[in-house]
Amino acid sequence: QVHLVESGGGVVQPGRSLRLSCAASGFTFSGYAMHWVRQAPGKGLEWVAAISFDGKNKYYADSVKGRFTISRDNSKNMLDLQMNSLRVEDTGIYYCASEPGRGQAISGVIAFNRFDSWGQGTLATISP
Amino acid sequence: EIVLAQSPGTLSVSPGERATFSCRPSQGVSSLHLAWYQQKPGQAPRLLIYGASTRATGIPDRFSGSGSGTDFTLTISRVEPQDFAVYYCQYYGGSPITFGGGTKVEIK
């Protein structure tokens, strides 16, 4: 059974950094793409970033491009999100999610898959 | 970027009634890349439907999805008390992945 556990959330001031982690178990982590999705308080879901199964391809929402970095360590079954230059609007619950695909581009076109497992989320609060 | 418009924003139904809500992409998308999720307060989202009409593992058959192109629908044939939640559609056919704004299903 897939199990995803996020950690690393907390309260930080704008402009500072935070590193989130997601520990994965119950499946062959190294075989699948992974994602981060966030949810501002009382709001909807926003996809943040994705990484291919081998870590070679990374994709970001425009709202975080250049500030956030997604990475993975397949030897440790860990997914990370390094968040720099944080803004108040980055506040929210951050979920990691797995998909049944590899996150590879085929003929130059990326094809993702549905998010079949989610962690319970970790709250990041950016406040002056 | 594919923008997903969900309607209505809130749907009031009584247990046992049928609930139908809509997801309309800003441009035509392949039904292969359209999913629906359920989220209850304080919980992570849960995958209900993928490929527009395929139920995820363990999802009861009162949930069904349909549609194509720019018009997709999620139907709950007979709403049960545990179905009161927020429902999101998602497009995952490319980058960026996008979500609709959600439909809240509340008790009438």
Side-chain angles (χ1 to χ4, degrees):
Chain A
Q1 185 174 354
V2 175
H3 198 47
L4 301 171
V5 180
E6 301 92 338
S7 60
V11 181
V12 296
Q13 293 178 323
R16 303 298 290 265
S17 298
L18 204 56
R19 188 175 185 89
L20 307 182
S21 294
C22 172
S25 60
F27 69 112
T28 306
F29 178 75
S30 61
Y32 301 101
M34 294 292 295
H35 300 262
W36 286 100
V37 177
R38 69 183 179 185
Q39 187 168 35
K43 302 298 184 182
L45 302 171
E46 180 188 15
W47 173 77
V48 173
I51 187 167
S52 61
F53 74 106
D54 55 5
K56 291 182 178 179
N57 298 293
K58 303 177 183 182
Y59 308 87
Y60 299 94
D62 285 347
S63 58
V64 306
K65 202 172 293 183
R67 299 188 299 122
F68 289 13
T69 301
I70 189 171
S71 62
R72 65 190 298 161
D73 185 338
N74 285 343
S75 68
K76 297 181 179 178
N77 288 359
M78 291 292 295
L79 174 73
D80 289 332
L81 185 68
Q82 177 67 43
M83 306 189 297
N84 297 333
S85 303
L86 284 163
R87 305 168 181 168
V88 171
E89 56 265 34
D90 294 319
T91 293
I93 298 173
Y94 284 73
Y95 298 100
C96 66
S98 65
E99 65 151 81
R102 290 179 170 260
Q104 291 177 291
I106 301 174
S107 301
V109 179
I110 181 60
F112 293 116
N113 220 306
R114 73 267 189 188
F115 297 176
D116 49 9
S117 293
W118 298 65
Q120 86 291 346
T122 187
L123 176 62
T125 303
I126 320 306
S127 178
Chain B
E1 174 177 329
I2 303 293
V3 177
L4 301 176
Q6 287 192 246
S7 62
T10 302
L11 185 63
S12 299
V13 297
S14 300
E17 288 186 339
R18 182 184 187 89
T20 300
F21 29 100
S22 172
C23 175
R24 291 193 168 90
S26 55
Q27 56 187 276
V29 302
S30 168
S31 59
L32 293 174
H33 301 135
L34 197 288
W36 291 92
Y37 298 84
Q38 177 194 66
Q39 187 179 34
K40 297 179 182 179
Q43 296 185 17
R46 177 176 72 144
L47 176 67
L48 294 177
I49 300 284
Y50 64 92
S53 61
T54 302
R55 275 188 298 277
T57 302
I59 301 303
D61 60 7
R62 64 180 182 275
F63 291 93
S64 64
S66 63
S68 62
T70 58
D71 193 359
F72 295 88
T73 299
L74 178 67
T75 299
I76 310 174
S77 59
R78 290 168 58 176
V79 174
E80 296 194 3
Q82 62 267 35
D83 299 337
F84 293 99
V86 180
Y87 293 82
Y88 295 95
C89 59
Q90 177 204 35
Y91 168 73
Y92 52 87
S95 182
I97 290 169
T98 55
F99 290 92
T103 290
K104 182 179 181 180
V105 177
E106 63 176 25
I107 300 174
K108 188 174 184 179

